[in-house]
């Protein structure tokens, strides 16, 4: 008899467990970002911004009555780790993932999310991210090709540079942006005199820069990340190369200024508007909330566009009144002018956010940015 | 021609850093026949220690000669101490064990140091302030020479000459050379081998500390895993010069730096590392003991 009652209670217990999991009152959202490693400050920014928005949502009663739980996975901006993160987050039962920061890590995780019907939104700008046309994937930033066209136009038509050097590192984002920029410049008749690649993290770029010096360029364009960009700029100045230095979007980080030191002055960056000059109503509200919560500004625009990705997904869930990712995705593909922190969010059929708007800044002596174009 | 001389200076600067680090590898190998894989991480550690001393005790802007000397001295002391502790914990218990065990222990120690750096200072990039050494530059023809480069070249040269005299002209130096040839015979001659090994680790770690600090001052961006980069290059330099040979490590370091700069400058930056390994393979085939490898053995 005892056995039977035990069995009965076991059955009852499992029934409770099963039903409670069916009626779970939480819904899970994943964050896949480089929480540690070279780009840690970007990854932590993304994580913090997501948690800020989720907390706010939970205070308002959650999403369709369910509390949102955030599960963060650190991909260290490495492809292998990203693949592990994707499996981990899928197994944890997330319905959407925010991230990652780098195109490489995003791409490595993309297929896993697609197969498991998990929505993913990233700031990765590599053109290849959209090529596979996964219905689960949404890009919240603008593709390299948009940036490269803008950069080429700025170099050739506005600054009238005659000798252009294009440098990148070997990451899929940087190489892609470098190639796209070279192509765009050539397309409109500009003159790229040197296209070089550096190995990220090697620190010593003097050999290549000395070679570049002999070519007497008007401008050195670097399409990689701030960790190498700041050093490149410092070593360029140290070698007495007078050329302008223009950095692509990923050089836009406070650490660039620290690495370049006094050489930072006069550096030009091409990116979206920085968080603090975003003119939108949502921007003022959320950036203030971010500063109040974490006592710091978001590390860069990238944390903010990722936050917009989350807000778009939340909006999609609320509009479709379901957690069916296919339905949300269909809705998001037709989303038009959703008021985002980084401006109106409109997604194209293939998950691309449209309406690219770039700005050119110059770094001032005191480290502040001055918009010049 | 300017470009050539500029590459020469670039190459010599990075080469002196490799040489300083390579000395640590070669001295330990010379005496213990052990590749101390943790040495590169000790170099990274010293850059962090130097940065901490600077930011904790000297505030933001104090580029006096006193500050610089103090930072170098204290960093060298701390890192030398850590080097000795490392030897006591990771290598001494395995001194009579098969060599493979010691190598595995070295790799383990490397991971421990690397992860300790990550836990103490965090995984994010730390940035060395740019105002420790004045930003003066000189222009000779079209060649630019910075104050930092001059200091690196001069101090490395002084340290290497000092080490050369220490090893060749002092009593302890003789004892070190004797131990390098035959530990047991050295013991029978009344040499305290434990003490010799301790001195080796003190000197090697202190030189590595100077190298690490220079790396921090010259390149500024510090990552917890940067030790691997410099460790590997210095290790290659030590092999090229002839591992176990002190002049070999110096020569190997300078040669590797120059070789790398010239390949990057005249052939291709992308292929510079590949050429480094091709050079290594050629040296190992043509002269397996390295350029100055045998000389030191014959000397005594």
């Amino acid at each position: 008899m005892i056995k039977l009652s035990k069995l009965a209670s076991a059955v009852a217990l499992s029934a409770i467990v099963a039903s409670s999991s069916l009626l779970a009152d939480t819904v899970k959202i994943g964050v896949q970002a480089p929480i540690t490693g070279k780009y840690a400050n970007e990854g932590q920014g993304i994580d913090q911004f997501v948690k800020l928005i989720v907390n706010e949502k939970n205070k308002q009663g959650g999403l369709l009555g369910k509390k949102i739980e955030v599960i963060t996975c650190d991909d260290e901006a490495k492809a292998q780790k990203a693949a592990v993160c994707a499996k981990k987050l899928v197994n944890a039962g997330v319905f959407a993932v925010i991230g990652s920061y780098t195109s490489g890590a995003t791409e490595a995780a993309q297929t896993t999310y697609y197969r498991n019907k998990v929505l993913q939104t990233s700031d990765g700008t590599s053109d290849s991210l959209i090529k596979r046309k996964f219905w689960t994937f949404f890009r919240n930033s603008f593709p390299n090709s948009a940036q490269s066209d803008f950069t080429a136009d700025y170099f050739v038509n506005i600054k009238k540079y005659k000798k252009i050097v294009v440098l990148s590192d070997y990451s899929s984002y940087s190489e892609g942006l470098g190639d796209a920029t070279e192509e765009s410049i050539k397309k409109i008749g500009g003159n790229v005199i040197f296209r070089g690649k550096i190995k990220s993290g090697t620190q010593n770029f003097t050999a290549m820069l000395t070679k570049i010096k002999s070519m007497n360029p008007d401008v050195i364009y670097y399409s990689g990340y701030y960790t190498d960009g700041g050093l490149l700029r410092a070593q360029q100045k140290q070698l007495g190369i007078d050329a302008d230095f223009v950095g692509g979007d990923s050089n836009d980080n406070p650490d660039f200024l620290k690495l370049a030191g006094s050489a930072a002055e006069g550096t030009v960056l091409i990116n979206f508007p920085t968080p603090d000059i975003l003119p939108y109503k949502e921007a003022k509200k959320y950036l203030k909330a971010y500063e109040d919560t974490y006592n710091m500004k978001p590390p860069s625009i990238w944390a903010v566009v990722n936050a917009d990705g989350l807000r778009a997904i939340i909006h999609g869930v609320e509009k479709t009144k379901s957690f069916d990712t296919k339905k949300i995705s269909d809705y998001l593909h037709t989303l038009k002018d959703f008021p985002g922190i980084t401006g109106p969010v409109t997604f194209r059929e293939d998950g691309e956010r449209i309406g690219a708007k770039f700005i050119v800044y110059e770094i001032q002596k005191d480290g502040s940015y001055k918009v010049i174009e | 021609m300017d470009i050539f001389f500029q590459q020469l200076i670039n190459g010599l600067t990075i080469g002196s850093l490799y040489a300083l680090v390579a000395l640590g590898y070669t001295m330990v190998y010379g005496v213990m026949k052990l590749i101390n894989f943790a040495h590169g991480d000790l170099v990274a550690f010293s850059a962090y220690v130097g940065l901490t001393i600077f930011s904790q005790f000297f505030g933001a802007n104090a580029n006096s000669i006193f500050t610089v000397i103090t930072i170098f001295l204290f960093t060298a002391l701390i890192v030398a101490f850590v080097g000795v502790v490392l030897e006591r914990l990771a290598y001494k218990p395995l001194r009579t064990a098969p060599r493979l065990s010691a190598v595995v222990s070295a790799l383990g120690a490397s991971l421990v140091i690397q992860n300790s750096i990550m836990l103490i200072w965090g995984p994010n990039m730390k940035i060395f302030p740019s105002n420790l050494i004045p930003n003066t530059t000189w222009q000779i023809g079209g060649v630019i020479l910075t104050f930092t480069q001059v200091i690196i070249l001069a101090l490395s040269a002084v340290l290497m000459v000092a080490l050369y005299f220490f090893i060749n002209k002092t009593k302890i130096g003789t004892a070190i050379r004797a131990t390098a040839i035959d530990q047991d015979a050295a013991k029978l001659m009344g040499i305290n081998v434990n003490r010799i090994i301790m001195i080796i680790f003190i000197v090697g770690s202190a030189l590595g500390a100077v190298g690490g600090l220079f790396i921090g001052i010259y390149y500024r961006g510090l990552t917890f895993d940067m030790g691997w980069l410099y460790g590997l290059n210095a290790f290659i330099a030590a092999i090229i010069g002839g591992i176990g040979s002190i002049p070999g490590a110096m020569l190997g370091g300078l040669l590797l730096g120059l070789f790398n700069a010239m390949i990057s400058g005249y052939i291709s930056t992308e292929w510079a590392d590949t050429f480094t390994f091709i050079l290594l393979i050629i040296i190992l085939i043509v002269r397996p003991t390295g350029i100055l490898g045998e000389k030191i053995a014959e000397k005594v």
Side-chain angles (χ1 to χ4, degrees):
Chain A
M1 278 321 260
I2 295 168
K3 262 189 187 162
L4 203 64
S5 70
K6 257 189 180 171
L7 190 70
S9 64
V11 169
L13 194 68
S14 60
I16 291 166
V17 169
S19 63
S20 71
S21 71
L22 279 175
L23 300 170
D25 53 358
T26 62
V27 54
K28 290 169 183 162
I29 285 182
V31 171
Q32 180 204 324
I35 306 297
T36 65
K38 263 202 297 190
Y39 310 121
N41 88 22
E42 297 282 7
Q44 288 164 6
I46 294 170
D47 191 39
Q48 289 181 347
F49 222 134
V50 166
K51 285 182 176 147
L52 175 81
I53 288 170
V54 164
N55 284 341
E56 183 203 61
K57 202 79 215 160
N58 282 342
K59 264 186 221 146
Q60 293 166 1
L63 197 51
L64 303 185
K66 295 179 187 219
K67 283 257 180 285
I68 309 170
E69 187 189 334
V70 178
I71 301 171
T72 306
C73 185
D74 176 14
D75 66 21
E76 297 175 30
K78 289 177 185 148
Q80 311 92 297
K81 294 272 164 77
V84 175
C85 270
K87 294 235 164 63
K88 197 179 134 191
L89 291 174
V90 165
N91 288 342
V94 301
F95 82 97
V97 172
I98 313 302
S100 179
Y101 167 69
T102 60
S103 295
T106 305
E107 202 164 355
Q110 221 181 12
T111 318
T112 308
Y113 295 136
Y114 169 69
R115 287 202 187 117
N116 293 285
K117 302 188 173 66
V118 170
L119 295 174
Q120 182 188 14
T121 160
S122 160
D123 62 36
T125 60
S126 168
D127 283 290
S128 58
L129 286 173
I130 291 295
K131 282 217 178 89
R132 282 182 273 182
K133 296 199 165 45
F134 291 149
W135 59 264
T136 47
F137 184 79
F138 292 88
R139 190 217 300 277
N140 246 301
S141 59
F142 303 111
N144 284 342
S145 49
Q147 189 179 162
S148 66
D149 287 344
F150 179 89
T151 307
D153 178 61
Y154 177 70
F155 281 7
V156 178
N157 297 329
I158 296 173
K159 296 296 280 189
K160 312 236 180 285
Y161 290 133
K162 297 276 177 282
K163 295 175 180 172
I164 302 166
V165 167
V166 176
L167 299 179
S168 67
D169 68 30
Y170 286 97
S171 65
S172 65
Y173 150 74
S174 174
E175 206 173 334
L177 180 57
D179 290 347
T181 305
E182 187 188 9
E183 214 172 280
S184 300
I185 292 171
K186 284 182 173 160
K187 212 164 56 193
I188 56 170
N191 179 24
V192 177
I193 52 167
F194 182 71
R195 167 81 174 96
K197 285 172 196 165
I198 58 155
K199 228 163 97 191
S200 177
T202 42
Q203 299 195 329
N204 180 25
F205 308 123
T206 50
M208 178 183 269
L209 285 168
T210 302
K211 189 171 160 185
I212 289 170
K213 188 181 181 185
S214 66
M215 303 171 186
N216 247 326
D218 297 324
V219 63
I220 297 174
Y221 174 73
Y222 179 59
S223 69
Y225 295 92
Y226 57 95
T227 46
D228 303 299
L231 286 175
L232 266 171
R233 173 62 175 177
Q235 290 173 21
Q236 178 215 340
K237 277 273 151 184
Q238 179 212 308
L239 287 169
I241 305 172
D242 290 329
D244 289 350
F245 186 94
V246 178
D249 57 77
S250 295
N251 287 290
D252 186 355
N253 186 292
D255 277 358
F256 181 96
L257 305 172
K258 286 193 217 156
L259 280 167
S262 57
E265 188 189 350
T267 304
V268 171
L269 301 176
I270 291 177
N271 196 2
F272 305 134
T274 50
D276 41 321
I277 58 166
L278 289 168
Y280 312 101
K281 195 176 90 220
E282 274 72 19
K284 294 203 169 63
K285 176 186 154 200
Y286 280 102
L287 294 172
K288 186 175 180 302
Y290 190 98
E291 276 197 68
D292 291 348
T293 314
Y294 301 112
N295 272 327
M296 57 162 131
K297 289 182 182 207
S300 73
I301 191 75
W302 302 114
V304 190
V305 292
N306 278 293
D308 260 350
L310 172 67
R311 292 180 63 249
I313 287 174
I314 290 178
H315 175 70
V317 171
E318 285 171 344
K319 278 281 163 186
T320 57
K321 294 202 167 37
S322 97
F323 287 104
D324 182 344
T325 48
K326 186 78 181 118
K327 271 189 198 159
I328 302 168
S329 165
D330 286 343
Y331 175 77
L332 288 179
H333 278 132
T334 60
L335 187 67
K336 245 193 143 42
D337 293 339
F338 169 68
I341 309 172
T342 54
V345 178
T346 301
F347 284 114
R348 212 166 57 186
E349 194 68 345
D350 56 0
E352 188 87 86
R353 181 170 169 188
I354 46 178
K357 186 179 190 310
F358 290 95
I359 289 188
V360 184
Y361 316 94
E362 190 183 275
I363 298 175
Q364 305 296 298
K365 198 172 180 140
D366 61 354
S368 64
Y369 289 171
K370 190 177 130 205
V371 179
I372 54 174
E373 191 67 42
Chain B
M1 214 49 194
D2 287 347
I3 298 300
F4 174 78
F5 282 113
Q6 188 70 62
Q7 295 291 22
L8 197 72
I9 290 172
N10 299 342
L12 284 177
T13 313
I14 182 89
S16 326
L17 297 178
Y18 290 158
L20 283 175
V21 181
L23 284 167
Y25 278 103
T26 224
M27 282 164 66
V28 169
Y29 184 83
V31 171
M32 298 172 75
K33 300 289 171 284
L34 162 79
I35 310 284
N36 178 14
F37 282 111
H39 189 57
D41 299 289
L42 219 51
V43 169
F45 174 73
S46 47
Y48 277 92
V49 170
L51 174 63
T52 307
I53 295 177
F54 182 58
S55 53
Q56 291 298 311
F57 300 107
F58 295 100
N61 36 10
N63 56 5
S64 75
I65 187 81
F66 166 76
T67 315
V68 179
I69 292 177
T70 320
I71 293 173
F72 270 87
L73 270 181
F74 276 93
T75 308
L77 275 174
I78 293 169
V79 176
F81 176 72
V82 174
V84 171
V85 172
L86 167 77
E87 195 272 328
R88 281 289 137 90
L89 294 179
Y91 305 138
K92 200 178 177 203
L94 295 168
R95 217 172 274 166
T96 52
R99 217 176 289 168
L100 188 63
S101 317
V103 169
V104 173
S105 178
L107 287 170
S110 159
L111 285 176
V112 169
I113 298 176
Q114 195 181 104
N115 286 290
S116 308
I117 295 174
M118 193 180 87
L119 288 172
I120 299 171
W121 284 282
N124 303 356
M125 186 179 235
K126 289 274 176 224
I127 294 164
F128 227 93
S130 53
N131 55 0
L132 185 57
I133 288 184
N135 274 325
T136 324
T137 53
W138 294 283
Q139 187 157 4
I140 309 149
V143 183
I144 306 253
L145 192 61
T146 67
F147 190 59
T148 317
Q149 284 175 321
V150 174
I151 299 250
I152 290 177
L153 290 169
L155 194 56
S156 314
V158 167
L159 285 174
M160 286 190 242
V161 170
L163 180 69
Y164 187 79
F165 279 104
F166 173 69
I167 296 289
N168 288 297
K169 305 284 178 202
T170 64
K171 217 173 162 187
I172 300 175
T174 314
I176 291 173
R177 281 180 293 142
T179 316
I181 294 164
D182 192 327
Q183 279 199 22
D184 295 325
K187 248 181 232 165
L188 292 172
M189 294 298 127
I191 293 171
N192 182 345
V193 172
N194 275 336
R195 223 183 93 217
I196 295 296
I197 288 175
M198 197 170 93
I199 290 168
I200 287 293
F201 270 86
I202 289 173
V203 175
S205 306
L207 288 170
V210 174
L213 264 180
F214 276 144
I215 289 165
I217 290 168
Y218 194 50
Y219 296 121
R220 297 228 272 287
L222 310 183
T223 50
F224 67 94
D225 54 358
M226 68 191 257
W228 175 246
L229 177 75
Y230 291 95
L232 182 68
N233 275 302
F235 176 54
I236 293 172
I239 292 180
I240 289 174
I243 194 150
S245 153
I246 286 168
M250 300 174 191
L251 184 71
L254 292 176
L255 272 183
L256 186 66
L258 276 178
F259 181 77
N260 217 307
M262 293 302 166
I263 293 285
S264 310
Y266 289 101
I267 298 180
S268 151
T269 322
E270 288 90 337
W271 287 86
D273 287 350
T274 316
F275 277 95
T276 302
F277 280 97
I278 293 175
L279 174 74
L280 178 66
I281 291 166
I282 292 173
I283 296 245
L284 286 176
I285 292 170
V286 179
R287 224 184 135 80
T289 48
I291 299 171
L292 298 178
E294 279 161 338
K295 250 185 175 169
I296 197 87
E298 290 164 1
K299 198 177 270 166
V300 187

